[in-house]
Amino acid sequence: MRTAYPNRFDATGSRPSMNTPWQARRLNPPSRLWGSNGVAFGPDGRLYVAQFLAGQISAVDPATGDVDVVVPMDGPVQSPDDLAFGADGSMYIADLVPGRVWRRSPQGEYSLVSTEVKVPNGITCVGDRLFVNEMRPGGRLLELFPDGGEAVVLTEGLALGNAMQLGPDGWLYYPHMMTGQVWRIPPDGGVPEVVAEDVHEPVAVRFDQGGVLHVLSRGVEGIVTRFDLHGSGSRTLVTSGLVGLDNAAFDAENRMFVSSYASGGVTELHPDGRTREIVPRGLDGPYGVTVDLGGTVYVADHYRLVNPTPSDEGDVTTRNLLPPFMHGLATAGGFVHSTSQYGDVHTHDPDLGTTRERATGLDQPVGITVGPNGSLVVAEAGAGRVVAIDDSDTVTVLTEGLGHPMDVAFDTAGRCYVSDDRLGAVLRIREDGTTEVVADGLGAPQGLAVRGDELFTVDVGHRRLWAVSLTTGESRVDAEDLPVGSPPDTTPRTEPGLFTHGMPGSPPPFAGLAVDSDGSLLLSANGEGSVWQLKTSSETGASDDQYGA
């Protein structure tokens, strides 16, 4: 019997996930929230959650865990990272990538408050007053005036500002993420003061109903540091185990609810570190997918490397936080190779926990594979080329002049293939660097994998899985209605903002594909936040989709 899992691709949970003759199952359930960043309780008592990666804001009922989209992903707001409510019930939104601050009225009407704030993130309201800071080196903390008026700069020199709040002493408190400090300043201006130093990776400051300061850490351990500023001055650490904390909100009963930029979801965090799941955590992507010879599946999930594992609880095991903004993945010889939105390529040793930089300065590297000679081969989408990185980390161009190459794969004869989602084609790269068409007329082919004598590609434009015979050239559709790309009835943004003022922006979408040692296919279903395993009828006797295929 099929179980409904409402998610960002299908709010009802009743839409068939795909149409395919393959036996299909999810390795993890779909994500309810596409990452979770700024959180704040609204006038209706619901917890509002900004989802930077999704470009949307949802309202969560803390009692039931029900999630309703309030600010849709194809609306005027592009990348909401934090939010706050004014005295009249208006929602104010920090739109990080384009550098905008929005007001959403109680009636649902949008108006632009400012376009002058660079990388706006931390935002808070003090009665009718609105304050925002900048998440960049040398950032500013400003007061904005929604009804007009020039912004007032309270202070400059922030070392990556983020979530801030008015303290019981009437001062604004905010973190410096780069320096591990918490600062404060009077809202009417003045000289800022250091409140605390050596704070573990501070990302947000929040006061509970008793005036105790809580500082959240964005690190792996999920640390929250409590400061009794007006009593003993003591500092207490609570380790929650929630990877990548981002923000928190306290309700009228002083219950603490936290968000995670790395894994989404909403969790109640008790004072002793115990947790209660309100909205399950999940994947932010996924993007590239690969599997090693031992059968361990790895997924690039933007902020982290994860192993999606089927279980009754639907947990997603976090392997490591790696150099962030991961996109493509490949495994060989016990190593995991990855591309980064920053333009880097890395090789990671999961056993030793070490990482080696292989290349820097590439223009939007996405798909990666290991060639027959052991070199890393990378689809460099922004430069329209495919490059190889040898063991000495020398970069060589294999072919160029492509439209937007997304993924690469080799067949058993050692021939290299590349998918191009702008050309709508899969190409074979000849030894002289020229290319020939293997399949064309596709919508937007991305993930690429070779299984025996067949090449498979994920056509995100048409949400199909194509198979192409490398012997006859014949092609067929092996799956339709894939949960990849933007959700139905939404307009995808034409070009995600990769960087803004030196800071990473929204990641470009990528639906990865890999072949397991048993011949099954692994698909990154980035539309719903899951990884699918597809097996032929000869490989499995019956469908065992635990998460509702």
Side-chain angles (χ1 to χ4, degrees):
M1 181 172 123
R2 186 179 185 280
T3 304
Y5 284 91
N7 59 82
R8 66 190 183 217
F9 198 77
D10 174 21
T12 68
S14 61
R15 180 182 183 275
S17 294
M18 64 177 68
N19 178 19
T20 176
W22 296 64
Q23 299 292 338
R25 68 164 182 164
R26 294 183 180 97
L27 299 188
N28 64 286
S31 296
R32 299 293 308 279
L33 294 172
W34 199 344
S36 53
N37 300 88
V39 291
F41 279 100
D44 58 2
R46 294 189 296 175
L47 186 66
Y48 286 73
V49 183
Q51 298 163 255
F52 165 74
L53 291 177
Q56 69 182 25
I57 296 175
S58 300
V60 175
D61 185 333
T64 64
D66 291 341
V67 179
D68 293 321
V69 175
V70 177
V71 176
M73 63 178 60
D74 55 354
V77 181
Q78 180 176 329
S79 52
D81 205 291
D82 202 1
L83 57 91
F85 285 92
D88 66 349
S90 293
M91 180 196 300
Y92 292 96
I93 306 164
D95 196 355
L96 188 145
V97 172
R100 300 179 183 133
V101 177
W102 296 89
R103 174 181 179 264
R104 181 182 183 273
S105 73
Q107 293 75 37
E109 299 170 343
Y110 297 89
S111 58
L112 199 56
V113 175
S114 174
T115 60
E116 302 302 318
V117 185
K118 301 173 182 178
V119 201
N121 198 333
I123 190 168
T124 192
C125 292
V126 180
D128 293 324
R129 301 175 69 181
L130 174 65
F131 298 89
V132 64
N133 64 36
E134 296 176 328
M135 194 184 70
R136 66 184 180 102
R140 302 171 296 168
L141 195 161
L142 309 94
E143 181 174 6
L144 303 180
F145 300 93
D147 296 329
E150 187 175 350
V152 174
V153 178
L154 273 66
T155 186
E156 299 181 271
L158 274 65
L160 296 189
N162 211 311
M164 61 182 178
Q165 189 177 23
L166 188 76
D169 57 3
W171 289 50
L172 284 171
Y173 286 70
Y174 54 93
H176 277 193
M177 292 198 291
M178 290 177 62
T179 61
Q181 297 172 314
V182 175
W183 289 68
R184 69 175 185 172
I185 190 172
D188 292 327
V191 179
E193 298 178 358
V194 177
V195 176
E197 298 192 80
D198 299 321
V199 184
H200 190 272
E201 301 188 56
V203 68
V205 296
R206 286 292 179 259
F207 288 90
D208 67 14
Q209 302 295 350
V212 176
L213 174 63
H214 295 66
V215 183
L216 281 71
S217 166
R218 66 183 186 275
V220 180
E221 301 91 341
I223 292 173
V224 176
T225 306
R226 295 195 184 102
F227 295 89
D228 185 3
L229 299 178
H230 305 291
S232 64
S234 62
R235 176 188 300 207
T236 305
L237 268 64
V238 176
T239 302
S240 69
L242 301 172
V243 175
L245 293 175
D246 191 280
N247 214 309
F250 289 87
D251 67 6
E253 299 176 4
N254 210 30
R255 294 182 300 176
M256 184 181 187
F257 298 88
V258 298
S259 62
S260 168
Y261 70 87
S263 59
V266 172
T267 304
E268 181 182 355
L269 177 59
H270 295 274
D272 60 2
R274 291 180 298 113
T275 59
R276 182 175 70 92
E277 189 175 77
I278 306 300
V279 178
R281 299 183 297 278
L283 297 179
D284 286 332
Y287 301 98
V289 60
T290 189
V291 58
D292 66 16
L293 293 177
T296 300
V297 178
Y298 295 92
V299 175
D301 200 40
H302 191 58
Y303 298 112
R304 58 185 181 151
L305 180 70
V306 300
N307 302 129
T309 53
S311 71
D312 292 337
E313 294 80 19
D315 291 338
V316 177
T317 303
T318 300
R319 183 76 175 191
N320 284 288
L321 286 181
L322 287 180
F325 317 121
M326 297 180 66
H327 245 57
L329 283 182
T331 55
F335 298 103
V336 180
H337 310 284
S338 64
T339 63
S340 163
Q341 184 179 334
Y342 266 138
D344 305 329
V345 177
H346 292 90
T347 293
H348 179 66
D349 186 329
D351 295 328
L352 297 179
T354 58
T355 300
R356 169 187 167 193
E357 187 176 80
R358 306 298 302 275
T360 61
L362 299 182
D363 189 354
Q364 298 180 40
V366 188
I368 183 172
T369 191
V370 179
N373 63 356
S375 63
L376 305 182
V377 178
V378 178
E380 192 180 0
R385 63 183 190 173
V386 175
V387 300
I389 306 168
D390 65 18
D391 193 57
S392 66
D393 298 337
T394 300
V395 178
T396 304
V397 177
L398 299 184
T399 190
E400 53 190 343
L402 304 177
H404 197 243
M406 291 297 290
D407 203 6
V408 282
F410 284 87
D411 64 15
T412 55
R415 297 174 296 183
C416 185
Y417 300 84
V418 55
S419 58
D420 193 311
D421 63 354
R422 288 185 184 165
L423 296 180
V426 176
L427 311 172
R428 180 186 293 121
I429 302 174
R430 301 187 181 99
E431 291 186 4
D432 61 0
T434 60
T435 60
E436 58 181 316
V437 175
V438 175
D440 59 3
L442 308 179
Q446 292 186 352
L448 200 61
V450 174
R451 179 183 187 266
D453 189 43
E454 290 187 318
L455 179 146
F456 293 85
T457 188
V458 184
D459 182 353
V460 176
H462 296 141
R463 298 195 174 101
R464 294 172 176 168
L465 176 69
W466 286 87
V468 180
S469 170
L470 298 178
T471 302
T472 66
E474 296 180 351
S475 63
R476 67 178 186 273
V477 176
D478 260 17
E480 295 185 285
D481 301 319
L482 301 181
V484 297
S486 299
D489 303 320
T490 62
T491 303
R493 302 193 186 279
T494 56
E495 196 66 42
L498 291 179
F499 293 92
T500 174
H501 303 287
M503 299 301 298
S506 306
F510 177 54
L513 193 65
V515 178
D516 204 342
S517 57
D518 63 359
S520 61
L521 296 179
L522 298 171
L523 166 69
S524 291
N526 60 359
E528 68 172 24
S530 66
V531 177
W532 283 82
Q533 183 182 55
L534 306 176
K535 291 186 177 184
T536 64
S537 56
S538 62
E539 295 163 343
T540 182
S543 174
D544 55 354
D545 176 19
Q546 170 172 20
Y547 298 122

